[in-house]
Amino acid sequence: MSFRHGLRLLYSQLSLFSRELNRPGCRYVSSSLALSSEKRASDFSSFVARTNTCGELRSAHVGQEVTLCGWIQYQRQGLFLVLRDFQGLTQIIIPQDEAHSHVKKVLYDAPVESVVRVTGTVTSRPPGQKNPKSEALRMQYRYLDLRSFQMQHNLRLRSQMVMKMREYLCNLHGFVDVETPTLFKRTPGGAKEFVVPSREPGKFYCLPQSPQQFKQLLMIGGLDRYFQVARCYRDEGSKPDRQPEFTQIDIEMSFVDQAGIQRLIEGLLQYSWPNERGPITTPFPSMSYAEALAEYGTDKPDTRFGMKIIDISDVFRSVEIGFVQNAVNKPQGTVKAICIPQGARHLQNKDFESLKESAKSQFNQEVLHLILKPDESLKSPLSKFLSEEQQSKLIQALKVQADDMVLLAAGEHEKVCLVLGNMRLESANLLESRGLVLRDPTAFHFLWVVDFPLFLHKEENPAELESAHHPFTAPHPSDTSLLYSEPAKVRSQHYDLVLNGSEIGGGSIRIHNAEQQRFVLETVLKEDPKLLSHLLEALKCGAPPHGGIALGLDRLICLVAGAPSIRDVIAFPKSFKGRDLMSNAPDYITPEELEPYHIQVAWPAAEAEANKN
Amino acid sequence: MSFRHGLRLLYSQLSLFSRELNRPGCRYVSSSLALSSEKRASDFSSFVARTNTCGELRSAHVGQEVTLCGWIQYQRQGLFLVLRDFQGLTQIIIPQDEAHSHVKKVLYDAPVESVVRVTGTVTSRPPGQKNPKSEALRMQYRYLDLRSFQMQHNLRLRSQMVMKMREYLCNLHGFVDVETPTLFKRTPGGAKEFVVPSREPGKFYCLPQSPQQFKQLLMIGGLDRYFQVARCYRDEGSKPDRQPEFTQIDIEMSFVDQAGIQRLIEGLLQYSWPNERGPITTPFPSMSYAEALAEYGTDKPDTRFGMKIIDISDVFRSVEIGFVQNAVNKPQGTVKAICIPQGARHLQNKDFESLKESAKSQFNQEVLHLILKPDESLKSPLSKFLSEEQQSKLIQALKVQADDMVLLAAGEHEKVCLVLGNMRLESANLLESRGLVLRDPTAFHFLWVVDFPLFLHKEENPAELESAHHPFTAPHPSDTSLLYSEPAKVRSQHYDLVLNGSEIGGGSIRIHNAEQQRFVLETVLKEDPKLLSHLLEALKCGAPPHGGIALGLDRLICLVAGAPSIRDVIAFPKSFKGRDLMSNAPDYITPEELEPYHIQVAWPAAEAEANKN
């Protein structure tokens, strides 16, 4: 539907056919909405006074003058209206100049469900409009949006897929579905946890980010195999495509190792995978974190396409270019590149400039480009510094062909990998916007990423360590002794599951030894172990070796459904800013209502002033 | 296990066999705990230095001197220890006098898992101890309690029963499992909703008491059949056997009537019922609210036993007793009674006094008693006022037999019913404490209670009306016109499902007409409809007729499992006071942590003073 694509119509002519009072009942022709665009072949606008249906408008229509007929779904003080027909919704923008004041008046008086004809030019939503009106409208009238084919399909797909997962876990593999509390205690470092005031003065519950502690306690409690479709909470302020409450398939098993969890999840996904998406093959390939970083510049490689990062330090070691020499001679210094096949044909100068700009602004890193011309010569500011032998070595190492474009960066290994990993994805986006297909939308590439570091140096103070994932992750069996000597070098038993370049799950084998857990908390992480005393105490009482995983359900369903955003697979999502635009939550409540919880609002100065007046 | 029954042992003698350091692993013999008391027949204490196992101790052992052997599960500064053997746990209280200081010292130094022998006298937990130590201990060391046979059984039963329900709804009947938000807006009259501060100053989310609004919006959104195993929140402070977070099987259907929902639920329970509890027969019997009140004095009748309330106003209309005449001549005035079969044989004078006392203190209502002696004469202070004919009429009306006891009350219909309904249950408890079985523990009596009033007079101001259930309940089709003339007389399309005298579910057909909904909110309930403007607006956009129900999962599983409390079917329940005794939630958090939420603690005067020091 045009509404979904953010298209809108700039009004130029309007006819009001009939005014209608609201009559409760089923005026919204929801059944017709179930027509998907794939199945539509008929011309619905022959013989009648319209050129198109609301549901037909696509990006291709931008700039065309079209005429639509339909019902006024909603209108706002003569600013815009939402027009509905049996196939979809279109937002109609009404010009605000004097010449159109009569239209404004007519619309202001016309109740919703009035029937109108509108002629105008199709526009796409203004670029840079962060919270686009049409998106906000979808959220405000979510119950109407839910009637769309796509939302009906996505929610039903989600329900069915979760049901199959439950059958696999519960019926086939003896897992116990256990509900764990969401009113819990603050966890160490839980800065993103919502707080919930209690009736005891000064005491707060927290909404946990995951049932991590509970699932470990269930293993200690002898439940053996646990799962839960768990509601989790994370207060991240405004992050795109994140929700303050989200759902994970949460799993924990006793007496299991990393391979055991991986085989379980492969079986789970294979069993629950929707037929119409084709079969998936198992086992999923596996890659170490170091390999993923070196070849794809990320811990979640999209393996649907090539353009891998290639180390060309050897070629450049003897090249007399200042910045290259600077880079190569530092510890961890490298020169690396990616090759964009046919990049010179499909990308323009401004594309390369924008890539360069992005590397500069995001990573403060210079990126150079080379093009192999059809006559096999290299076009680049670099080429004059390279001997013919060096040029041919470079072409060989990168397997460059005519019209390919190479992006090259020199510097510290990790940084260069991250930059080129980013360039790789940005170039792919650019190429696809020019009509090429690099990432088959029907392909599903799963990948295990393993052997993560157990600890990371803190950004703000590199002398201190923090958990790469969480403090309960067990060290890699080969690295256990290093834990006590060189903890920064220890790899963990953490594993991530990646699908088409998105992280859809992560888990680990846990520490089940109280002393080791205490050592990690106290000595390595310098955390106050008191906040976790209940877990430390529990680990002393006969904890079986155990491990688990959590799959991000919203993201997984989003990928399976091919939806543009996780908001398209959640019935009532919140906006970027964490608002429910339908009910207008969060909302003000009275000081009297806060009284039982012994809290009061600490108004920022400006608002406190405004409140006084 | 003795631990579960709140028994404890007063220490008199202790031998320390071995001291053990903690060794992580499976020292806790959880598999042996799977022996249920029913299956135990062997004498586990023959030939050895103990008289009993920890798991054997029962109320019957109180006062006996016993010797136990086992491992120290836990000890607290020489005050008490928890002794564990393969069958259970016993709390050992250590005398605090000087004579026993050496024991205290030995215990203080002995690590947990040390092996000891203890001789002492079995005591039950001190009466009147509101939050008994042993119950609190179970919660604090919940992960150990979870290893018990009973908790393992209950949690697995719960998981399996819910899985069967999902199969029935999802696979057999096309329901869609839709997750709805828990960070929502305050609802009108939502005094029991937890608040969650947001990062916008002064704005709060609320944790909803049920997904009521969302499930109606889903019907308006064309989802047709929705269900969810929904987490709900209710802040009721300290109420026994209630939890601040609880779970309901939440269901809503479009184009359905009351009978449709009832048949669905009967099918659902029949399908998911555990085999070992025997089959249940459907359809469930149905009773009007008026009938339930008149015969059982409650809206949730326990129909497993008789002792129904019988109206004997006719017998007493001509009897010259002042208080009876007073009662009978008032509007709604009645005389009613219940007959306790063999009550005179099993109940003593003090029992009757306690019943009388309870009626007086709870309802401010006098209750009289009569006994039919074996010679067929009535023994009662009343009998001298009754003619022989009246006496025989009374005996006939109540079907009184020799040694039966009659409890009689006169007054306004509803009040007398409530009092006698209460007496009926209290008498049953008394009789069962004497060893009689009135309520077969293997029987499951389901009952629909229907035709509730739609509105109730507010207790604090009887001139005003409030919803008997919630403002979205539709009026009974026969009473719709009364809604606009005499709303207090309107019956609703609400239905409750009762099992063995406990309400396990409730639902209704909803109002799907925006005008009717607005009338109920504005004119009848005098609520501000703005808080529900999104729902009112949605009802205008083509709302199908719809209705639903919610089953209280914790209570249902509790009854099916035969557990004494809902805390026995929840993995990590909160205490009476809403505390998590394991992690010690809710807990204090720093003012800095509250800053992003623009709130501060409003300390009560005394604590503010203490905090200063």
Side-chain angles (χ1 to χ4, degrees), chain B residues 102-119:
Chain B
H102 66 290
V103 180
K104 226 171 142 167
K105 168 103 184 60
V106 166
L107 281 173
Y108 201 90
D109 294 343
V112 298
E113 294 302 314
S114 296
V115 181
V116 294
R117 178 173 62 193
V118 185
T119 300

Side-chain angles (χ1 to χ4, degrees), chain A residues 25 147 158 179 182-183 185-186 199 204-205 220 231 233 235 245 247 541-542 578 583 593 597-598 602, chain B residues 25 147 158 179-180 182 185-186 199 205 220 231 233 235 245 247 541-542 578 583 587 593 597-598 602:
Chain A
R147 293 179 191 168
R158 179 177 181 134
E179 299 170 63
T182 57
L183 293 172
K185 183 193 172 91
R186 202 161 187 87
R199 287 174 188 255
F204 291 79
Y205 299 104
I220 298 168
R231 188 68 56 91
Y233 300 85
D235 180 17
E245 48 184 323
T247 304
C541 296
S583 72
E593 290 178 296
Y597 301 109
H598 310 282
Chain B
R147 294 178 189 169
R158 179 177 181 135
E179 298 170 63
T180 59
T182 56
K185 184 194 172 91
R186 202 164 188 85
R199 285 173 189 256
Y205 299 104
I220 297 169
R231 188 69 56 90
Y233 300 86
D235 180 17
E245 47 185 323
T247 304
C541 296
S583 73
D587 205 354
E593 290 178 297
Y597 300 110
H598 310 281

Side-chain angles (χ1 to χ4, degrees), chain A residues 373-533:
Chain A
K373 288 195 285 192
D375 65 2
E376 302 275 305
S377 70
L378 271 183
K379 181 186 155 193
S380 165
L382 274 184
S383 36
K384 59 180 169 195
F385 300 101
L386 299 173
S387 69
E388 233 168 79
E389 197 201 332
Q390 285 168 333
Q391 290 200 11
S392 108
K393 259 194 189 169
L394 185 67
I395 289 168
Q396 229 174 355
L398 293 166
K399 301 201 179 76
V400 190
Q401 303 196 332
D403 279 337
D404 285 0
M405 176 164 146
V406 170
L407 296 179
L408 178 150
E412 186 268 324
H413 170 76
E414 187 176 331
K415 189 178 173 188
V416 166
C417 289
L418 291 177
V419 173
L420 290 177
N422 199 274
M423 295 296 101
R424 176 178 175 267
L425 293 178
E426 286 194 19
S427 317
N429 289 343
L430 281 169
L431 289 173
E432 291 197 335
S433 75
R434 304 291 139 78
L436 275 76
V437 177
L438 273 81
R439 296 166 290 200
D440 176 0
T442 67
F444 292 95
H445 282 230
F446 288 96
L447 176 72
W448 290 109
V449 180
V450 300
D451 294 347
F452 283 84
L454 184 53
F455 306 108
L456 300 175
H457 296 281
K458 282 188 188 174
E459 235 173 285
E460 65 278 17
N461 180 3
E464 290 180 10
L465 293 177
E466 63 186 2
S467 293
H469 294 93
H470 60 56
F472 315 115
T473 311
H476 194 287
S478 325
D479 296 356
T480 307
S481 61
L482 281 175
L483 182 63
Y484 303 92
S485 52
E486 291 177 282
K489 291 197 176 162
V490 175
R491 288 166 304 160
S492 72
Q493 293 197 61
H494 179 94
Y495 29 83
D496 267 354
L497 182 57
V498 173
L499 171 55
N500 293 351
S502 287
E503 184 200 319
I504 58 162
S508 60
I509 301 303
R510 328 295 185 187
I511 295 172
H512 71 280
N513 174 313
E515 285 315 304
Q516 193 178 68
Q517 184 67 72
R518 179 178 289 277
F519 178 81
V520 166
L521 285 170
E522 264 183 353
T523 311
V524 182
L525 300 173
K526 322 282 185 208
E527 295 263 17
D528 178 4
K530 252 185 246 158
L531 272 172
L532 288 171
S533 58

Side-chain angles (χ1 to χ4, degrees), chain B residues 242 285-303 309 414 417-419 421-422 424-425 445-453 456 468-469 494-506:
Chain B
R242 291 280 180 101
S286 188
M287 191 183 281
S288 74
Y289 169 74
E291 205 179 334
L293 180 68
E295 294 195 347
Y296 295 92
T298 175
D299 58 357
K300 37 181 190 285
D302 188 341
T303 53
I309 300 167
E414 187 177 329
C417 288
L418 292 176
V419 173
N422 198 275
R424 176 176 174 267
L425 292 178
H445 282 230
F446 288 96
L447 176 71
W448 290 109
V449 180
V450 299
D451 294 347
F452 283 85
L456 299 174
H469 296 92
H494 179 94
Y495 29 85
D496 268 354
L497 180 58
V498 174
L499 171 56
N500 293 352
S502 287
E503 184 200 320
I504 57 160

